[in-house]
Amino acid sequence: VSVPGCGASLRDLNKALRIELNANANCVWQIQRNASQTIRLIFSYFKFAPSSSCETESIKVYDGASTNSPLLGQICNDTDAVPVLQSSSGSLTFLITTNSVAFTRNFFVFYYFFSPETKIENCGGQLTGPSGTLTSPNYPAPYPEFAYCIWHIQTEKNSKINLQFQDFFLELDQNCQFDFIAVYDGLTTNTGLIGKVCGRAQPTFESSSNAMTVVLSTDYANSYRGFSAQYTSTPLPGPVEPDTFLTCSSDRMTIVLSKSYLASLGYNETHLQLNDPSCSPSVTDSVIFSFPLGSCGTTKKDEGQSITYTNIVSLSATGNIITRQKSVEIIAKCKMENNSTLEVIYVTKNNVIQNTTAVGRYNVSMSFYDSDSFSKPVRQSPYYVDLNQNLFAQVHLHSTDPNLLVFVDTCIASPQPDFGSITYDLIRSGCNKDDTVVTYPPLEHYGRFKFNAFRFLRSFSSVYLQCDILICDSQEANSRCTKGCISRQKRAISSYKWKTNTVIGPIRLKRDLRSADHTESLTKADAEETSNLQQYSFYILSFVVLISNSIVAAVILKHRKRQAGYGYQKIQSS
C-alpha cells in the first residue's frame, strides 16, 4: 500500500492508496493504461473534516483522463454507501478537495483493471423467492481476488427481509478496507447502507421493506473461506391505529398498551421499558404500567400554575440484528392544574407524532433550515451537524388570519425532550443570551433565528430546543412582538394575544455519526458490540407541534455512552 502525496499519475494494473491530506488540498490522481480494459475504483474508507459539506470538501471521480471528463460521482462526508465507481474506458481521474479546517483527512482507495466480459461464477444474482441462500464464489474454498459481486433480494410486497450469515470469514481489518460485505436497504448501492462487515462473525441484517442488496468486494491478497448466508421474509404488519390509554390520579399514573398495537410496530412486551428500566409492566391481554407519580424515573416540572409529571415508554429491538429500524417512544404526561387533571399521551415513530391528545386554537410548527434564505427545510433526523455550524431555525404559524404576528420570546436547550434537567438559555424575553444567536425581524407568520452548534457534556449525545412563541395582533401599535429585547420591569406594558411553546430536536454531531460508521470490525468476541455501532441511518424529519398549555411535541432520543463532563458549552473545533 503506497502513501502518496498530493496527486499522482498511476499506470499499475492494480494499486491500493492510503491517502492523508490536510487543509486546503486540491489534489488530482490520474489512472491510465494503454489497455482495452475497464477500471473499478473503490473508496472503502473515507474520513473528511467534521465541518465539511459537499460544497467545501469532496472527492469527485471523472470518467476519463482529466477533470474535464464526464463526472461519474461525488463522495462527501454524508455519503451513505461504500462508493464503487467504474470507468467506461482505460482511464479515470479523481480529485480530492479539502476546506480550510485544520484536520487530518484519511482515505483508503484501491483500483484495478478488469475485463467486463470476464465473469466469475456464482458472483451475485437476483433472488426473488420468499427465502433462499447465497454463498461467496468458490465457497467453502477461498474466494477469488478482485471480485465484485452484487446480490439483489426482492420478496413479496409488504414484507421485510432477514439475512443471517451462518458462516463468515473475510480478511480482518479494523475499517474493513480490503475485503468486505456491504448490505443496503433497497435495490441500490449508492445509498441506504445498513452495515459493512469483515473478519470473523455471524452478522444478521434486517431490511425495512421487501428489498435488500448484498455486495461482496475483494482485493488482490489474503483470500479466505468467504460466507454462506440465508435470507427469509416476513410480512410487514398493516397499519394499526395507536391503541394506548393513560389515566392519571393525584398520586398514580397508569399506561395501558394493547399487544396488537405493539405487534404492529414490530415489538412485544419484552422490548418495553420506562425511564427506570427496573419498573416492569404487568401483562394480561394488554401491557400495563402502573406506578406512583414519584417513581419509575418520572420527571416532575413545576410550571407555576400547574405541575406536570412525565414518563416515557421506550420500545427498542434486542439482539444482534443490524437494522435501520428506529426505536419508538410513547410519552405520557399527567398535568395537574387547579384541582383538575389533563391527560396527554402520544407516540413517536420515525419522528412523527402518531397520536396526541391536546387542546388549542393555533397550529405552530418549528423546523431547521439549511441557510438564512429559509427556503429548504432540513428533512433528516436526528439532525447531524458540524462543529460550530450555524443552525437556522424558523417558527411558522399556520393561520389564515393576516393580522397575526409571531415573535420568538424565549428559547432554551436541554439534553432531554421533557426539559426536566438543567437547561441553557439561548433567548430570554427577546434578548439573546448566547453570543452566537442572531434573531431576524418578525415577518408576518414567521419567527426566525440562528445560532452555533453546541451540546451538553454530561453523558448526553443530543440537544433539544424549546421555544416560547408569542402571537400578537399586528394592528396593535404597542404589541410585544414588535418590541424585541425588553427588561423584566417593562414586560407588562406590551401586549400579546396568545403564548405557546414548541420543541424541536434532536441535534447531534456529524463526527459522532461518522465515527460509528467507519470504526467497525467484526470479530466473534465483539460482534454484538460492533453490530450496535453499525445501526445508523438518515430519517425523514417531521416536526409537528399541536398547541396546548403544555409541550406536545417530541422526537426520538437514542442514548450512547459518553465520557462524563460538567456544564454546558459551545462545541469547539477540533
Side-chain angles (χ1 to χ4, degrees):
V1 178
S2 64
V3 185
C6 180
S9 181
L10 306 169
R11 298 289 184 267
D12 306 84
L13 268 173
N14 62 81
K15 197 173 188 66
L17 306 173
R18 197 181 303 275
I19 301 171
E20 185 176 294
L21 296 175
N22 293 309
N24 300 313
N26 190 57
C27 307
V28 177
W29 282 262
Q30 182 197 63
I31 307 168
Q32 189 170 19
R33 281 177 64 89
N34 293 324
S36 57
Q37 288 186 306
T38 298
I39 304 167
R40 181 171 287 133
L41 182 70
I42 301 175
F43 286 88
S44 56
Y45 179 78
F46 52 93
K47 186 172 186 179
F48 293 95
S51 59
S52 68
S53 65
C54 285
E55 289 73 26
T56 63
E57 193 161 293
S58 69
I59 304 169
K60 292 183 178 179
V61 182
Y62 299 90
D63 189 14
S66 74
T67 55
N68 293 323
S69 303
L71 182 67
L72 271 179
Q74 184 177 24
I75 304 160
C76 310
N77 200 24
D78 60 356
T79 296
D80 188 22
V82 182
V84 178
L85 300 108
Q86 189 170 307
S87 69
S88 61
S89 64
S91 60
L92 190 148
T93 303
F94 65 92
L95 164 68
I96 303 181
T97 57
T98 65
N99 60 26
S100 59
V101 175
F103 182 83
T104 301
R105 288 85 168 164
N106 288 286
F107 310 93
F108 188 87
V109 55
F110 66 91
Y111 75 87
Y112 53 87
F113 285 81
F114 72 102
S115 299
E117 62 271 13
T118 302
K119 302 296 183 181
I120 299 175
E121 189 175 353
N122 192 36
C123 180
Q126 304 284 336
L127 301 168
T128 57
S131 62
T133 60
L134 54 155
T135 60
S136 54
N138 302 336
Y139 178 85
Y143 47 78
E145 63 182 14
F146 301 129
Y148 185 69
C149 310
I150 302 177
W151 290 267
H152 293 295
I153 306 172
Q154 191 165 16
T155 57
E156 290 187 0
K157 291 182 178 180
N158 299 318
S159 66
K160 63 180 180 179
I161 300 167
N162 183 282
L163 178 69
Q164 170 70 58
F165 286 87
Q166 285 90 11
D167 189 19
F168 191 94
F169 190 1
L170 272 64
E171 182 175 1
L172 177 62
D173 171 70
Q174 180 179 359
N175 296 312
C176 295
Q177 299 172 129
F178 309 119
D179 302 338
F180 59 85
I181 287 283
V183 180
Y184 294 87
D185 196 11
L187 293 177
T188 66
T189 59
N190 55 12
T191 190
L193 181 69
I194 302 177
K196 181 179 70 168
V197 290
C198 61
R200 297 290 303 272
Q202 290 182 313
T204 298
F205 297 87
E206 187 175 274
S207 69
S208 63
S209 68
N210 67 324
M212 176 184 282
T213 300
V214 181
V215 174
L216 168 67
S217 176
T218 69
D219 64 2
Y220 55 87
N222 300 326
S223 292
Y224 297 93
R225 191 167 62 247
F227 70 85
S228 173
Q230 181 176 11
Y231 78 89
T232 57
S233 61
T234 55
L236 284 172
V240 175
E241 287 300 314
D243 188 1
T244 58
F245 182 70
L246 170 68
T247 58
C248 303
S249 67
S250 60
D251 61 352
R252 180 168 286 272
M253 181 185 298
T254 301
I255 305 168
V256 181
L257 310 172
S258 73
K259 287 184 176 180
S260 60
Y261 175 55
L262 294 176
S264 74
L265 300 175
Y267 300 97
N268 58 45
E269 62 270 19
T270 63
H271 300 131
L272 308 185
Q273 67 176 39
L274 291 172
N275 285 345
D276 181 354
S278 65
C279 292
S280 301
S282 60
V283 180
T284 56
D285 293 336
S286 300
V287 180
I288 303 170
F289 289 96
S290 184
F291 49 92
L293 290 177
S295 66
C296 294
T298 304
T299 59
K300 174 183 176 182
K301 186 176 182 181
D302 189 342
E303 298 173 320
Q305 300 299 316
S306 63
I307 296 176
T308 300
Y309 299 87
T310 304
N311 211 314
I312 301 174
V313 182
S314 299
L315 293 76
S316 58
T318 58
N320 300 328
I321 297 177
I322 305 167
T323 175
R324 293 167 67 86
Q325 180 185 10
K326 225 179 165 183
S327 58
V328 177
E329 290 183 343
I330 298 171
I331 302 171
K333 294 186 177 222
C334 294
K335 184 172 183 179
M336 311 300 183
E337 184 176 25
N338 297 331
N339 296 320
S340 64
T341 300
L342 173 66
E343 299 161 353
V344 180
I345 186 166
Y346 50 94
V347 180
T348 68
K349 183 186 179 186
N350 294 334
N351 300 308
V352 178
I353 298 176
Q354 293 183 312
N355 184 31
T356 180
T357 301
V359 294
R361 173 186 170 190
Y362 297 122
N363 187 355
V364 178
S365 64
M366 181 166 157
S367 302
F368 288 115
Y369 284 76
D370 65 347
S371 70
D372 59 4
S373 67
F374 293 97
S375 59
K376 185 178 179 182
V378 174
R379 300 193 184 280
Q380 66 185 50
S381 179
Y383 182 20
Y384 285 95
V385 302
D386 296 319
L387 296 172
N388 288 334
Q389 174 180 331
N390 279 330
L391 307 185
F392 301 91
Q394 173 178 277
V395 176
H396 180 200
L397 169 64
H398 303 275
S399 173
T400 57
D401 185 348
N403 297 321
L404 296 180
L405 195 63
V406 172
F407 179 71
V408 181
D409 179 74
T410 296
C411 277
I412 62 174
S414 172
Q416 296 179 343
D418 59 10
F419 292 81
S421 62
I422 299 172
T423 58
Y424 175 77
D425 282 359
L426 286 174
I427 303 170
R428 176 68 64 178
S429 300
C431 303
N432 298 341
K433 296 301 182 180
D434 182 277
D435 58 8
T436 70
V437 172
V438 175
T439 54
Y440 298 86
L443 177 65
E444 296 178 345
H445 292 174
Y446 300 92
R448 296 165 171 175
F449 63 98
K450 71 175 182 179
F451 59 98
N452 256 187
F454 52 88
R455 64 172 175 179
F456 272 94
L457 297 181
R458 295 184 63 186
S459 303
F460 297 111
S461 61
S462 301
V463 173
Y464 295 80
L465 299 185
Q466 174 184 281
C467 294
D468 288 342
I469 310 302
L470 304 184
I471 301 173
C472 309
D473 189 338
S474 60
Q475 295 182 326
E476 291 185 20
N478 198 35
S479 79
R480 173 67 185 92
C481 296
T482 62
K483 295 298 182 180
C485 174
I486 62 172
S487 60
R488 180 180 297 271
Q489 57 268 29
K490 294 181 180 179
R491 286 181 208 166
I493 66 173
S494 298
S495 64
Y496 56 86
K497 285 189 69 173
W498 205 68
K499 181 178 180 179
T500 186
N501 48 28
T502 71
V503 175
I504 192 173
I507 310 167
R508 296 184 187 165
L509 281 182
K510 278 187 180 177
R511 69 181 182 191
D512 294 340
L513 173 66
R514 185 55 65 190
S515 66
D517 294 350
H518 292 291
T519 56
E520 302 163 354
S521 174
L522 283 176
T523 65
K524 286 186 176 178
D526 63 3
E528 179 175 351
E529 177 180 354
T530 307
S531 296
N532 292 332
L533 288 176
Q534 291 165 328
Q535 300 182 39
Y536 72 88
S537 62
F538 295 100
Y539 303 88
I540 296 173
L541 176 60
S542 175
F543 297 108
V544 180
V545 184
L546 299 177
I547 302 310
S548 73
N549 293 326
S550 63
I551 304 167
V552 291
V555 291
I556 295 165
L557 172 62
K558 290 196 291 187
H559 292 281
R560 193 156 49 231
K561 290 185 178 178
R562 188 176 298 274
Q563 182 178 356
Y566 298 92
Y568 202 94
Q569 69 175 35
K570 285 186 297 178
I571 297 172
Q572 300 300 320
S573 298
S574 58

